[in-house]
Amino acid sequence: MEAALFSLPSSSSHSYPFSLKSHFNNPFITSHSNSHLKSRPRTLTIRSAISRTKKEETVETVKQQLEDCYLLAGISYKGLTVKQFQDLRAQLPETTKLLVAKNTLVLKAIEGTKWEALKPCMKGMNAWLFVHSEEIPAALKPYRTFLREKKLEENDFTGGVFEGKFYGPDEFKVLENLPTRAEIYSQLLGSLKGPASAVVGTIQAPARNLVMVLKAYVKKLEEEGGSQ
């Protein structure tokens, strides 16, 4: 058996091209500098995976909120405090959900859908109102009241999509003044009792109004049949 012989340094001032430390690594001793360098990439990888997961969850949440959604509106939330957001959420109807999400993630969720018309308001800092009710004015009124009471008129609606059409900030009054269900029912009943021209006028109304009118008429007939 051959044995390798290593010469140990003496007290003389000779220099050696190697040392025992460089040739033998102690498995029970960890270098602080090396462990620090090794752990950094691992930490960054974990953080990146968490960030990517959160983004995917946000996109999925937006998609879920779009189901049975009648109106998607953006609001400017720059400068609003956490407390103000909590107060606002408490004032909204149960059918209206408020979600904070980056424009890029919302845009990814609505891509290829009728909600893609919302692109013009993908600027600045937005929060998003998902209205799951046909009563659009009732859903928007709490936010308008909130702005007035908190003197936050600058945090107005940045845009919205209703029935596939985009409404800018200057057009939001149209949505806020849509007739309620009760008003449409009243209009229908008045038309049925009035001249034929009034009925024609009702039928020529927007598709949403016509559908609600027909539903009301069917319900009326069912109630009359049940009472006989």
Tab-separated table of all heavy atoms in Angstrom, residues 159-183:
chain	number	residue	atom	x	y	z
A	159	GLY	N	-63.969	54.359	-15.105
A	159	GLY	CA	-64.598	53.742	-16.268
A	159	GLY	C	-65.359	52.500	-15.858
A	159	GLY	O	-65.224	52.021	-14.726
A	160	GLY	N	-66.166	51.999	-16.766
A	160	GLY	CA	-66.940	50.797	-16.472
A	160	GLY	C	-67.473	50.169	-17.735
A	160	GLY	O	-67.543	50.821	-18.790
A	161	VAL	N	-67.837	48.905	-17.651
A	161	VAL	CA	-68.418	48.184	-18.788
A	161	VAL	C	-69.774	47.633	-18.375
A	161	VAL	O	-69.898	46.945	-17.354
A	161	VAL	CB	-67.505	47.034	-19.254
A	161	VAL	CG1	-68.207	46.197	-20.315
A	161	VAL	CG2	-66.202	47.589	-19.806
A	162	PHE	N	-70.777	47.973	-19.164
A	162	PHE	CA	-72.145	47.500	-18.930
A	162	PHE	C	-72.724	47.056	-20.263
A	162	PHE	O	-72.707	47.809	-21.239
A	162	PHE	CB	-72.996	48.627	-18.334
A	162	PHE	CG	-74.449	48.282	-18.162
A	162	PHE	CD1	-74.843	47.304	-17.254
A	162	PHE	CD2	-75.421	48.929	-18.910
A	162	PHE	CE1	-76.175	46.986	-17.095
A	162	PHE	CE2	-76.758	48.620	-18.749
A	162	PHE	CZ	-77.141	47.651	-17.843
A	163	GLU	N	-73.188	45.810	-20.318
A	163	GLU	CA	-73.720	45.218	-21.550
A	163	GLU	C	-72.719	45.323	-22.700
A	163	GLU	O	-73.070	45.613	-23.839
A	163	GLU	CB	-75.041	45.883	-21.930
A	163	GLU	CG	-76.166	45.592	-20.939
A	163	GLU	CD	-77.510	46.122	-21.390
A	163	GLU	OE1	-77.537	47.051	-22.230
A	163	GLU	OE2	-78.528	45.610	-20.907
A	164	GLY	N	-71.431	45.122	-22.380
A	164	GLY	CA	-70.397	45.108	-23.406
A	164	GLY	C	-69.927	46.469	-23.871
A	164	GLY	O	-69.037	46.561	-24.717
A	165	LYS	N	-70.483	47.539	-23.322
A	165	LYS	CA	-70.113	48.890	-23.737
A	165	LYS	C	-69.311	49.579	-22.646
A	165	LYS	O	-69.617	49.450	-21.470
A	165	LYS	CB	-71.364	49.712	-24.044
A	165	LYS	CG	-71.062	51.158	-24.440
A	165	LYS	CD	-72.334	51.959	-24.655
A	165	LYS	CE	-72.010	53.421	-24.953
A	165	LYS	NZ	-73.249	54.240	-25.133
A	166	PHE	N	-68.289	50.317	-23.070
A	166	PHE	CA	-67.465	51.057	-22.124
A	166	PHE	C	-68.069	52.427	-21.844
A	166	PHE	O	-68.483	53.143	-22.745
A	166	PHE	CB	-66.051	51.232	-22.674
A	166	PHE	CG	-65.166	52.068	-21.789
A	166	PHE	CD1	-64.619	51.532	-20.626
A	166	PHE	CD2	-64.885	53.386	-22.109
A	166	PHE	CE1	-63.813	52.306	-19.800
A	166	PHE	CE2	-64.073	54.158	-21.294
A	166	PHE	CZ	-63.535	53.618	-20.139
A	167	TYR	N	-68.109	52.776	-20.564
A	167	TYR	CA	-68.579	54.090	-20.125
A	167	TYR	C	-67.433	54.785	-19.404
A	167	TYR	O	-66.930	54.293	-18.397
A	167	TYR	CB	-69.778	53.949	-19.182
A	167	TYR	CG	-71.036	53.452	-19.846
A	167	TYR	CD1	-71.219	52.093	-20.101
A	167	TYR	CD2	-72.045	54.330	-20.228
A	167	TYR	CE1	-72.374	51.616	-20.716
A	167	TYR	CE2	-73.207	53.877	-20.841
A	167	TYR	CZ	-73.363	52.519	-21.088
A	167	TYR	OH	-74.512	52.060	-21.701
A	168	GLY	N	-67.038	55.947	-19.940
A	168	GLY	CA	-65.991	56.721	-19.304
A	168	GLY	C	-66.526	57.510	-18.127
A	168	GLY	O	-67.738	57.523	-17.860
A	169	PRO	N	-65.657	58.214	-17.392
A	169	PRO	CA	-66.091	58.995	-16.231
A	169	PRO	C	-67.199	59.988	-16.553
A	169	PRO	O	-68.109	60.199	-15.740
A	169	PRO	CB	-64.806	59.714	-15.810
A	169	PRO	CG	-63.704	58.840	-16.304
A	169	PRO	CD	-64.194	58.262	-17.592
A	170	ASP	N	-67.139	60.598	-17.740
A	170	ASP	CA	-68.144	61.592	-18.116
A	170	ASP	C	-69.491	60.965	-18.469
A	170	ASP	O	-70.493	61.668	-18.553
A	170	ASP	CB	-67.644	62.420	-19.313
A	170	ASP	CG	-66.379	63.203	-18.983
A	170	ASP	OD1	-66.162	63.478	-17.783
A	170	ASP	OD2	-65.614	63.516	-19.920
A	171	GLU	N	-69.510	59.657	-18.681
A	171	GLU	CA	-70.745	58.981	-19.077
A	171	GLU	C	-71.397	58.205	-17.936
A	171	GLU	O	-72.438	57.576	-18.125
A	171	GLU	CB	-70.458	58.013	-20.229
A	171	GLU	CG	-69.851	58.670	-21.466
A	171	GLU	CD	-69.444	57.654	-22.508
A	171	GLU	OE1	-68.498	56.882	-22.230
A	171	GLU	OE2	-70.067	57.625	-23.589
A	172	PHE	N	-70.790	58.238	-16.766
A	172	PHE	CA	-71.279	57.413	-15.671
A	172	PHE	C	-72.657	57.830	-15.175
A	172	PHE	O	-73.374	57.036	-14.582
A	172	PHE	CB	-70.285	57.385	-14.507
A	172	PHE	CG	-69.708	56.029	-14.274
A	172	PHE	CD1	-68.708	55.532	-15.103
A	172	PHE	CD2	-70.190	55.212	-13.267
A	172	PHE	CE1	-68.181	54.274	-14.912
A	172	PHE	CE2	-69.669	53.948	-13.068
A	172	PHE	CZ	-68.667	53.474	-13.889
A	173	LYS	N	-73.020	59.068	-15.404
A	173	LYS	CA	-74.344	59.531	-14.992
A	173	LYS	C	-75.441	58.738	-15.694
A	173	LYS	O	-76.536	58.555	-15.157
A	173	LYS	CB	-74.506	61.016	-15.296
A	173	LYS	CG	-73.663	61.920	-14.393
A	173	LYS	CD	-74.108	61.812	-12.952
A	173	LYS	CE	-73.304	62.744	-12.057
A	173	LYS	NZ	-73.687	62.606	-10.622
A	174	VAL	N	-75.138	58.251	-16.904
A	174	VAL	CA	-76.111	57.428	-17.643
A	174	VAL	C	-76.406	56.156	-16.851
A	174	VAL	O	-77.568	55.747	-16.715
A	174	VAL	CB	-75.570	57.072	-19.046
A	174	VAL	CG1	-76.536	56.124	-19.764
A	174	VAL	CG2	-75.354	58.336	-19.864
A	175	LEU	N	-75.363	55.525	-16.323
A	175	LEU	CA	-75.548	54.305	-15.551
A	175	LEU	C	-76.218	54.590	-14.207
A	175	LEU	O	-77.052	53.811	-13.745
A	175	LEU	CB	-74.190	53.636	-15.306
A	175	LEU	CG	-73.422	53.185	-16.559
A	175	LEU	CD1	-72.050	52.648	-16.165
A	175	LEU	CD2	-74.203	52.135	-17.320
A	176	GLU	N	-75.874	55.711	-13.607
A	176	GLU	CA	-76.434	56.054	-12.305
A	176	GLU	C	-77.901	56.450	-12.389
A	176	GLU	O	-78.602	56.438	-11.375
A	176	GLU	CB	-75.622	57.190	-11.673
A	176	GLU	CG	-74.192	56.787	-11.343
A	176	GLU	CD	-73.376	57.925	-10.780
A	176	GLU	OE1	-73.524	58.216	-9.575
A	176	GLU	OE2	-72.588	58.532	-11.537
A	177	ASN	N	-78.362	56.777	-13.588
A	177	ASN	CA	-79.757	57.195	-13.768
A	177	ASN	C	-80.604	56.163	-14.518
A	177	ASN	O	-81.710	56.482	-14.981
A	177	ASN	CB	-79.811	58.530	-14.518
A	177	ASN	CG	-79.221	59.672	-13.705
A	177	ASN	OD1	-79.395	59.729	-12.489
A	177	ASN	ND2	-78.507	60.575	-14.362
A	178	LEU	N	-80.102	54.948	-14.642
A	178	LEU	CA	-80.903	53.900	-15.279
A	178	LEU	C	-82.180	53.669	-14.466
A	178	LEU	O	-82.173	53.772	-13.236
A	178	LEU	CB	-80.107	52.594	-15.360
A	178	LEU	CG	-78.994	52.520	-16.401
A	178	LEU	CD1	-78.205	51.223	-16.222
A	178	LEU	CD2	-79.553	52.611	-17.805
A	179	PRO	N	-83.289	53.344	-15.130
A	179	PRO	CA	-84.537	53.094	-14.397
A	179	PRO	C	-84.431	51.851	-13.521
A	179	PRO	O	-83.745	50.885	-13.867
A	179	PRO	CB	-85.569	52.903	-15.510
A	179	PRO	CG	-84.775	52.470	-16.702
A	179	PRO	CD	-83.471	53.195	-16.596
A	180	THR	N	-85.088	51.874	-12.398
A	180	THR	CA	-85.101	50.724	-11.504
A	180	THR	C	-86.087	49.690	-12.022
A	180	THR	O	-86.889	49.951	-12.935
A	180	THR	CB	-85.507	51.141	-10.088
A	180	THR	OG1	-86.857	51.640	-10.117
A	180	THR	CG2	-84.586	52.242	-9.563
A	181	ARG	N	-86.070	48.525	-11.431
A	181	ARG	CA	-86.995	47.465	-11.813
A	181	ARG	C	-88.449	47.907	-11.594
A	181	ARG	O	-89.320	47.685	-12.443
A	181	ARG	CB	-86.704	46.202	-11.002
A	181	ARG	CG	-87.585	45.005	-11.352
A	181	ARG	CD	-87.312	43.865	-10.396
A	181	ARG	NE	-85.947	43.390	-10.521
A	181	ARG	CZ	-85.588	42.422	-11.357
A	181	ARG	NH1	-86.483	41.832	-12.132
A	181	ARG	NH2	-84.328	42.026	-11.414
A	182	ALA	N	-88.685	48.553	-10.475
A	182	ALA	CA	-90.047	49.013	-10.174
A	182	ALA	C	-90.525	50.026	-11.203
A	182	ALA	O	-91.688	50.007	-11.625
A	182	ALA	CB	-90.087	49.619	-8.773
A	183	GLU	N	-89.639	50.909	-11.628
A	183	GLU	CA	-90.006	51.919	-12.625
A	183	GLU	C	-90.320	51.282	-13.976
A	183	GLU	O	-91.234	51.699	-14.682
A	183	GLU	CB	-88.881	52.932	-12.771
A	183	GLU	CG	-88.702	53.825	-11.551
A	183	GLU	CD	-87.461	54.685	-11.621
A	183	GLU	OE1	-86.570	54.363	-12.444
A	183	GLU	OE2	-87.371	55.664	-10.860
